[in-house]
Amino acid sequence: MTPAPVSPAAPRVAPVWLARYRAVRAQSQALCAPLLPEDTVVQPMLDVSPPKWHLAHTTWFWETFLLTEYAPGYQLFHPDYAYLFNSYYNSLGSRVNRADRGTLSRPALADVLAYRAHVDAALTQLLTERRDLPPVFFELLELGLQHEQQHQELLATDIKYILSTSPLAPAYIGEELAEVRVSSEELRVDSADALAPTLNSSLLTSNSKAASWLPVPGGVHRIGFQESGFCFDNELAAHDVLLAPFELQNRLVTNAEFQAFIEAGGYRDFRYWMGEGWDLAQAQGWEAPLYWMRHADGWHRFTHHGLQAVRPDAPVTHISFYEADAYANWAGARLPTEAEWETAARHFGATTSAGTWLESNLFDPQPLPADADPAQCHQLLGDCWEWTYSAYHAYPGYARAAGALGEYNGKFMVNQLVLRGGSCATPENHIRVSYRNFFHADKRWQFTGIRLAR
Amino acid sequence: MTPAPVSPAAPRVAPVWLARYRAVRAQSQALCAPLLPEDTVVQPMLDVSPPKWHLAHTTWFWETFLLTEYAPGYQLFHPDYAYLFNSYYNSLGSRVNRADRGTLSRPALADVLAYRAHVDAALTQLLTERRDLPPVFFELLELGLQHEQQHQELLATDIKYILSTSPLAPAYIGEELAEVRVSSEELRVDSADALAPTLNSSLLTSNSKAASWLPVPGGVHRIGFQESGFCFDNELAAHDVLLAPFELQNRLVTNAEFQAFIEAGGYRDFRYWMGEGWDLAQAQGWEAPLYWMRHADGWHRFTHHGLQAVRPDAPVTHISFYEADAYANWAGARLPTEAEWETAARHFGATTSAGTWLESNLFDPQPLPADADPAQCHQLLGDCWEWTYSAYHAYPGYARAAGALGEYNGKFMVNQLVLRGGSCATPENHIRVSYRNFFHADKRWQFTGIRLAR
Amino acid sequence: MTPAPVSPAAPRVAPVWLARYRAVRAQSQALCAPLLPEDTVVQPMLDVSPPKWHLAHTTWFWETFLLTEYAPGYQLFHPDYAYLFNSYYNSLGSRVNRADRGTLSRPALADVLAYRAHVDAALTQLLTERRDLPPVFFELLELGLQHEQQHQELLATDIKYILSTSPLAPAYIGEELAEVRVSSEELRVDSADALAPTLNSSLLTSNSKAASWLPVPGGVHRIGFQESGFCFDNELAAHDVLLAPFELQNRLVTNAEFQAFIEAGGYRDFRYWMGEGWDLAQAQGWEAPLYWMRHADGWHRFTHHGLQAVRPDAPVTHISFYEADAYANWAGARLPTEAEWETAARHFGATTSAGTWLESNLFDPQPLPADADPAQCHQLLGDCWEWTYSAYHAYPGYARAAGALGEYNGKFMVNQLVLRGGSCATPENHIRVSYRNFFHADKRWQFTGIRLAR
Amino acid sequence: MTPAPVSPAAPRVAPVWLARYRAVRAQSQALCAPLLPEDTVVQPMLDVSPPKWHLAHTTWFWETFLLTEYAPGYQLFHPDYAYLFNSYYNSLGSRVNRADRGTLSRPALADVLAYRAHVDAALTQLLTERRDLPPVFFELLELGLQHEQQHQELLATDIKYILSTSPLAPAYIGEELAEVRVSSEELRVDSADALAPTLNSSLLTSNSKAASWLPVPGGVHRIGFQESGFCFDNELAAHDVLLAPFELQNRLVTNAEFQAFIEAGGYRDFRYWMGEGWDLAQAQGWEAPLYWMRHADGWHRFTHHGLQAVRPDAPVTHISFYEADAYANWAGARLPTEAEWETAARHFGATTSAGTWLESNLFDPQPLPADADPAQCHQLLGDCWEWTYSAYHAYPGYARAAGALGEYNGKFMVNQLVLRGGSCATPENHIRVSYRNFFHADKRWQFTGIRLAR
C-alpha cells in the first residue's frame, strides 16, 4: 500500500502525541519480534521489502521530514542512511534501486534498531522540551504515524510472503498448529495429477448459508471523507456521485465458493477473464489463490500460523483483481465500483468489529458467525481488502501537495485499481468508509477478497 | 485500436451493402498501394503489425464469421490461414505469437491479395445470389465493415512507424516535399548538445491566438450512444452522469505550446509526471514526442510526407498519456474525463469537418484557421485522439456478447485509458461523440493529442 | 560464419580478376533469385540476417575497403549506407543494431540491387582502366571475394531458416517435391504424445553399413595452412602439434544412428550432456535436431526443397555442439580435436568431391554410396561442418592485422568452437583441410554434423 | 570455483583423518565467524552464494555421499535439506533454483550450524567406531575435504562481494584500517568527471622494478598430475605437449601498471578487446577492475579490510579474462596457455610461500619484496589466479566418473577458461602446479590476475 498525506489534527497536547508516537513505534518492532535477523533481510519478490528496510524507512521518514526540519542541532544518525532508506521520493535524491533492497546485509538489524532508538530519543526530546512547535509540525507528526502504520500492514504481509518461500513453511505465530505440518515432499502433487477427479471429491463442505443480496438505492450520493479527524489527501474532495440502484452481497465470497469456481475449470476458461489477466495466469501457471497448494487430503494454504487446511467458510483471500473479476463473471455477477462500495458501506452503517489489532490478531480473515443476520451487510471493514472495478484516479478537485510530500499519493494515480474496506492486517484507524487503497490488477500478496454486486 | 461489436443496422438492401463492402475493401488496398512488398512484412515494434497481416487478418474476419457460417459450400482459401491470421480470439484456437508477425515472409503479399480476391468473390456472390440471409448476417456484415475500417486507421499509423525506422526517412505521400530531406548524418545531434541554449533560440514562432476557456455547465448529463445506426457495444448503455461545472479549451494544444514545455525542462522535472511515466521516460530517454528529432535548424519530425520541420500552430501529436498529463500539470490545468469530454462535445454541437477521408487525407493534423472563432470549440472530431483521464471500463449494464465476438471489446476493459474524438487517420464514420477508443498510457504511435480542462 | 582476412595472391592479371569478381557477384544474386522481395527483409532470429542485408553488406565491403581507397573520384552510392550495412567493424563507426536488421523495409531490394550495380560498375572500371594498382589492392580484392563467398553460405542457411518459419513450409528449390507437402495441422503432434511408443515403430530403416574405425598414427604433425594460394589469417601460423594415436570413424553419423539416440532417450538424460547444453535443451524443449518434426508417418524435416521425410542414411545435420557431444558420449566415443581432424584429413588425403557448387547444389548432405570403401575416410570435405572439441583460439604466432580488417577474425577468438570440413553449402574454394570455421556451442542453423573419434 | 573428484589416498588411519576432518570443518565456520546472521543470507549476484548456503551445502555433501551410504541407521537431519542444499547434481533430484538461494531466510543460520553439528557427530562416530570402512569411503572422505576447501575459497570471495554492496563498506577483518573510511557521498565522482585530467596526476607512484622476461625452453613437456597424493580428475591424464620456446614475466602485473592501461584509455579502445568482452564492458560501464572506485585522492578499492587506497606495487586483481587479454594486447604481449604456464612453473620450481592460510591471511595479494631476484620467477602460486588463454577442456583420456560424482567436473568442460596458480584465498593444499581452476571469461569476483607471456 502506498500512502498519502494530510489533513489537520486537533489539540496539540504533547503528552498525548508522545504516547501515540511511542505506541506506534513499539508496534512496528513488536511485529518483527518473532523474526530472526535472517528473516529481516531478504526480498523474495519485487513487491516485498525486507522487514529491516521497513523498520529503517519509517525511521528515515521521521528523521527527514520532522527532525532535520524542527529539531535544532539534530545530528543525522548516519550520512548514508538517506540514500539507503528513501523509498520513492525523487525530491530527496538518489536511492537504492528497489530491486536491490534484499541484497544489502548491512546496516544490520542491530544498527537499524539503534537508528530507531536514536530517532525516538530525539523526537521524544523535541516533544517534551519544545513548546513552540508550529501547527504544520503536528500535521507532519500525524502523517508520520499514519505512514508508519501503513508500513505495519506491509510488514505483516511481507513477512507472510518471506516465510512462505521456505519449503519448511515456518509459522510466524504460535506452535499449537504444528501438527498440520507435513514434509513438503508429501505436498508436492504432480501437475499432471493436479486436477484429477479424485480431488474433486475433497470439495470443501461448507456450513455457510448462501449469501443474500441487499438492495442499495440509486440517486445522488456523497462520497469521500466527510468526517472529522485525519484522512489522506486522496480521499478528498468529498463529492456527489450519481448511482443507479444496485444490490450487494451481504458477505464476502468464501473459500468453498471459490473452490467451486476452481473445480468448475474457472482457471482454464478464458471467457471469464480479462485478456491481460488470462495471459498472466497462463504464463505463471495460476490454478488457485496465492499460498494455496493441493495436498492429498485437500487444499492447504500457507498462513501466519504455518501450513493449514483451507477453511471452507472463511473469506477467500490472496487473489488478484483478475481472479476476483473472473470469479464474478463466472458467478453471473460483477464487482462493485468504489462509489457503490462506499455508498453501500455508508447506507448499511458499516463499523469495524472492535478488538485490539495487534495483540489478538490472527492475520487470517474469519468466517461469518453461523447466526449472522442475513439482512445485515457483514465483513465490510477489517476482513479483506475488496477489489472494486474502479481505477485509482484523483477525485475531482484533488491537488498534489507541494514539496516531497506531493509524491506521497498523487504520482500513483493511474494504472491501478481501488480496494476498499481494510483487512485483518490493517491497523484499526486505517479502516474507514472513505479510505482508498490501491494496487495493480495482478497483485496477490495482500489480504484481498471479493464482494459481489449486481 | 481494438474494436468491439454489434448493434442492428436497418434496411437489408443487398446492392447498398455490396457497394459499401466494395468501397471499404478497396480502401484497405488503396492504403497499401504506395508500399513496396518489403514494407508490408516488417514489425519494428510489438504494437505495429505488418500491413500484409492487416490485409489478411481483415479478410480472415470475413471468412471466419460470415462465409464459413452463411455461404454453403464455401472453400477455405488455405487451411493454415486461420492459424496465421487470427489476432486474439482464444475462442478460435491457437495462433501466431503476436511478436512473430514480422518474421513471416510467407504467405507473400501476392498470396494475401489472392486471398482477398477469393473472399471478395465469395462475399459478392453471397450478397448477390442469396435472398434469405438472416438479420444477424447483416449485423455481422456491419461489424465486418467497422472492423476493417478500424484496421485502416492502424494501417495508416503502422505504415508511418515502419517507414520512420529507416534512416532514409522515405515519404509515403508525394515527392513534393523532398527538398526538406537531409542526410540522417546531418540530423544526428549529440545528446550532450541536445539541450544547448542555442537551440532555445529556435523556439517556434507561433501565429496562433491563445486558447480560450469555454464553460460547460454541471448537472446530470446523458452519455453513451443515443443516436440511430451502428455503435460498438462499449458505447452502451447510455446512462446519466453527474458533473460539476468545468471549462474546456477551445482547441488542441499546439506544437509551439508543447515546445515551450520541452524547453522549460518538462521532460526533466519529475514533479509533473506520474511515477510510472517518469520511470519509463527516463529509461527510454524521451525528450520530445515520438518522431521529433532535433536538427541544427530546429525541431523536425517524421510524417507520412517524410521528414519535415515542426509546424508551430498544428496540434501536438504522438504523445503518450504520461506526456499529456505532465503537460497539463505543467500548464496548471488537467485532462478532461471522458464524461466531461462527451458532455462538452454534445454541448458544443461538435461535428466533423467534411471531406473524404482517404482521397485528400494528409495524415497530419492541421492548424486552426487564423480566423477561427474563439467562442467556438474546435478540433473536437477528426484531428487527434484526445487522452482523457478516464480508465477504459465497462459502462453500467455492459455485457459481453456470447461466442468469439464476446472477445471483441470486453476483455480489454482494464489497465487502459479512454481517448475521444477521432484523428486525421480515423475513417469518417468512426468519428462520433460517443466513440470510445482506448490505449495503454505509454502508447505514442497513434495520432494522440491534448485538450486541456480545468 | 564470421570471416578473416589476408595472405597474398599471385599474378595481377586484371581480366582474370574481373572474371572471378563477376562470377562471385553473380552467384550472390543467383542465390536470391528464387526469393520474393518479402523473403529478403525478415530476420526471424538474431543469428539470421535478411538476404537483402547480405546483398548490401557485401557490397559495402567493396565500397569501403576498395573503392573509397583506390578509385579516385568514386561517389558513394548513398551517404547512409555505411551506417546501414556495416556489420561489426567498430573502426568504421556506429551501425544498425544487429537485432534490428529485420525491421528495416527500406532501402528496398531494388535499391540494394542498384547499389550492387553501381559498385560493380565502379569496380569493373577500376580493374579495366587502372594499370598501377598496388599489390595491397589485390590482396583486398582477394579478401573481398572470399568475404562475399562466406556470406553466400550464410545466405543459403539464412534463407533456409527464413522459409522454415512459415507454417506453409515453402520450397526454395523446385516443385517436384510438392507431393510431400501436408497441412501443418496434420503435422502438429501433441507434446504429450510426442514420445509415445507407437512412434518408435517408425524407427528409420537404414541401409548403411556400420561405420568403421580408421587408425591415425600419433607423433608430431604439422597443422595450419602450408599450401600456396589464399588463406585466412586464422589458419596461420602453421605449427607442429603432438598427438597420441587415435581412431576416427570413416563417415559422418547418419540420421538413423542419431534417431537411435533420440529414441533411447538421449534428449532426456542429463548424463550425456554438458551442463550448459542440458539447461538450454530443457529451456527450449529440444527433442531432435533443428528442423525435425514428428509426423504420424515418422520424422520429417524442413529442407530447401520443402518438408521431406528424414532420410536414414544421410548425415545428421543442424545440431549444436551440445547435441554432437551428447551423442558422442552416448555412443561411447568422443569428438576429435581440430588438430586430430586436420591431421587425419591430411593423412587420408581428403579431397572435395568435384562438382559445381551452385548449379547442381541440393543444399542437403548426401548419403554415402552403398559401395563406399570402408577402409577409406569419407565425407571429410563438403558435407557437413564437423564440430571439434577445440576452442577457437589463435594459433601460436597469430597477430591481428592493423586497421579495420584487424576486426575480421581476431576479436572472435574466445568462447566459440572450431568446426572443420565445410558443408554442402560452402563455396568450393572455402573448403580446405586447414580452414577453421567457428560457432558458439548452441548454434544449429548451419549444416553441422558429427564425426566420432576415440 | 566448481570442483571435481577423485584419486585414491593412502594409509587409512582414522585418527589422522578425523583430525583433518575437524580442522577443515572448523575452518569453514571460522571464516564465517566475523559475519552477522544477516550477512549469511543474501545473494547480491548470481555467482555469489549466501555463506549460510555454503555452510549447509558442504554439510549436505557429507550427508549425501558418505553418511547415507556408510553409516547404518543414520537419520537425515531434515527431509527437505537435500532439496534445499543440492548445488547442481541432476542425479540427486530437483533443487532450489540457483538464483533463489538469497531469498530463503530459513533454515536460519542456527539451524544450519545445528545441521553441521549433527553431521559432524555422525561422521566422528563413524570414523571412531567403524573398523571396516572400504577404500572407496576414504576416497570420498578425501573428496569431501577437498570439496569443502574449495567452498572456503568461495566463502572468502563471496563474503567480500556481499560486504562490498553496502555503501557502508564494512570491513571483514580488523578495525585498524577504519581511518580510511570515508562517507560514500565523498566517494561519488560524477561520471562526467571520471576521466578528467586532474585525476591523471594521481597516477600511482610505483617502487617496483620493471618486470623481467624469463625464457622457457620449447620441446616436449609433460603436464598434468604426476605426483603422489590427491588430485582432481580434471588434472588427469598426465600427457605430453609440444611447445615452442617462449618467455614469461617474472612477476604478476601490478596495479600501477594496470592503471597506466586505464589512463591510456584502454577501457575505451575496442582494438585491444575481444568482441564479446568489449560489448559487455560497454554495457556495464567498466572502467577499472571490480571494486575500484575513483576518489578525489586517487583510486580506492574495496577489500576484506574495508575501503583502501590502491597499492601501486601489489598485483592487480579482480579482473575478467577480457581485461587481462586487453591489457596484454595493449602491452604488446599475450597471456600464456595453460601448458606453457604449467611447464614454466615446473621449470622454475614454483613453490608456495609457507604460512598458515587462514590465521594470518590478509585476503589481499602482496607486492613483491623490493629485493626479489629478477632472475627468479615469482608469485606463481598463491597470489592471484592467473588467466590463461586455454579453454577448459578435458585432457586426453579423461573420463567422467560414474554416478552423481560424474557431475563434479566433467559437465563444465566447455565455454570456460583455465586459471592457474591459486590465490591468496585458496586453501594451501589446493595450490599445485597441475591444479586447474576455471571460470567464464567475464567473471571478476575471484582473486584473478595477469601474468604476461610472449
Side-chain angles (χ1 to χ4, degrees), chain C residues 30-213:
Chain C
L31 273 164
C32 295
L35 302 181
L36 298 171
E38 292 91 325
D39 299 322
T40 69
V41 183
V42 298
Q43 180 180 35
M45 74 156 174
L46 194 59
D47 294 316
V48 165
S49 293
K52 185 160 67 77
W53 185 90
H54 285 296
L55 292 176
H57 164 71
T58 46
T59 305
W60 165 87
F61 191 97
W62 295 109
E63 185 175 68
T64 303
F65 291 107
L66 285 93
L67 293 174
T68 59
E69 294 295 319
Y70 297 98
Y74 174 75
Q75 294 288 321
L76 287 180
F77 182 73
H78 193 291
D80 283 339
Y81 279 24
Y83 172 77
L84 285 166
F85 298 123
N86 177 3
S87 55
Y88 56 69
Y89 297 86
N90 292 306
S91 312
L92 301 169
S94 63
R95 55 195 179 276
V96 170
N97 190 309
R98 180 173 186 131
D100 292 336
R101 288 181 186 164
T103 66
L104 296 175
S105 63
R106 308 287 180 97
L109 178 58
D111 296 327
V112 167
L113 294 176
Y115 180 32
R116 290 183 71 88
H118 174 87
V119 161
D120 287 351
L123 213 98
T124 299
Q125 185 182 14
L126 187 64
L127 276 170
T128 313
E129 300 183 359
R130 287 283 299 277
R131 288 289 166 262
D132 56 346
L133 290 162
V136 66
F137 173 84
F138 290 93
E139 288 173 19
L140 290 167
L141 191 54
E142 179 67 50
L143 184 61
L145 294 168
Q146 300 284 341
H147 172 257
E148 183 138 355
Q149 287 183 304
Q150 291 183 308
H151 279 276
Q152 288 169 2
E153 177 155 7
L154 290 171
L155 269 171
T157 52
D158 290 1
I159 287 169
K160 180 171 183 176
Y161 195 92
I162 285 167
L163 296 178
S164 79
T165 61
S166 171
L168 309 178
Y172 170 76
I173 300 175
E175 302 294 315
E176 71 280 10
L177 299 155
E179 73 277 9
V180 306
R181 279 292 319 290
V182 285
S183 155
S184 60
E185 272 302 335
E186 291 177 55
L187 284 175
R188 276 183 214 119
V189 177
D190 264 322
S191 58
D193 302 340
L195 298 163
T198 56
L199 272 169
N200 292 338
S201 63
S202 71
L203 208 107
L204 302 171
T205 333
S206 168
N207 300 313
S208 296
K209 296 174 205 154
S212 56
W213 289 97

Side-chain angles (χ1 to χ4, degrees), chain A residues 124-203:
Chain A
T124 300
Q125 186 182 12
L126 188 65
L127 276 170
T128 314
E129 298 182 0
R130 289 282 299 276
R131 288 288 166 264
D132 57 345
L133 290 161
V136 66
F137 172 85
F138 289 94
E139 288 173 18
L140 289 168
L141 191 53
E142 179 68 50
L143 184 61
L145 294 168
Q146 300 283 342
H147 172 257
E148 184 139 354
Q149 286 182 306
Q150 290 183 308
H151 279 276
Q152 288 168 3
E153 178 155 6
L154 290 172
L155 267 171
T157 52
D158 290 2
I159 288 169
K160 181 172 183 176
Y161 195 91
I162 286 168
L163 295 178
S164 79
T165 62
S166 171
L168 309 178
Y172 170 77
I173 300 175
E175 302 295 314
E176 71 280 6
L177 300 154
E179 73 279 4
V180 305
R181 281 291 318 288
V182 284
S183 156
S184 60
E185 273 303 335
E186 291 177 56
L187 283 176
R188 277 183 213 119
V189 177
D190 265 324
S191 57
D193 302 340
L195 299 162
T198 57
L199 272 168
N200 292 338
S201 64
S202 73
L203 209 107

Side-chain angles (χ1 to χ4, degrees), chain A residues 83-84 96 100 103-106, chain D residues 42-45 158-170 291 302:
Chain A
Y83 173 77
L84 285 166
V96 171
D100 293 336
T103 66
L104 296 175
S105 63
R106 307 287 180 97
Chain D
V42 297
Q43 180 180 33
M45 74 157 175
D158 290 2
I159 288 169
K160 181 172 182 176
Y161 195 91
I162 287 166
L163 295 179
S164 80
T165 61
S166 171
L168 308 179
Y291 297 134
F302 182 77

Side-chain angles (χ1 to χ4, degrees), chain B residues 271-294:
Chain B
R271 290 175 304 157
Y272 305 126
W273 292 72
M274 289 290 173
E276 296 182 12
W278 175 251
D279 293 344
L280 183 72
Q282 299 309 298
Q284 303 200 346
W286 291 357
E287 54 178 39
L290 180 64
Y291 297 132
W292 284 36
M293 57 188 96
R294 285 182 188 273

Side-chain angles (χ1 to χ4, degrees), chain C residues 255-274:
Chain C
N255 285 322
E257 288 167 337
F258 198 83
Q259 191 192 2
F261 167 73
I262 299 173
E263 305 298 352
Y267 278 90
R268 283 165 289 144
D269 190 334
F270 62 85
R271 291 175 303 156
Y272 305 126
W273 292 72
M274 290 288 171

Side-chain angles (χ1 to χ4, degrees), chain B residues 185-246:
Chain B
E185 273 303 333
E186 291 176 54
L187 283 175
R188 275 182 214 120
V189 178
D190 265 324
S191 59
D193 302 338
L195 300 162
T198 56
L199 271 168
N200 292 339
S201 64
S202 72
L203 209 110
L204 302 170
T205 334
S206 168
N207 300 312
S208 295
K209 297 175 204 153
S212 56
W213 290 98
L214 305 178
V216 182
V220 173
H221 300 278
R222 192 158 196 82
I223 66 166
F225 187 70
Q226 307 156 41
E227 292 74 18
S228 61
F230 175 85
C231 75
F232 283 106
D233 64 357
N234 62 5
E235 301 167 57
L236 299 172
H239 60 286
D240 288 338
V241 292
L242 177 65
L243 298 180
F246 63 99

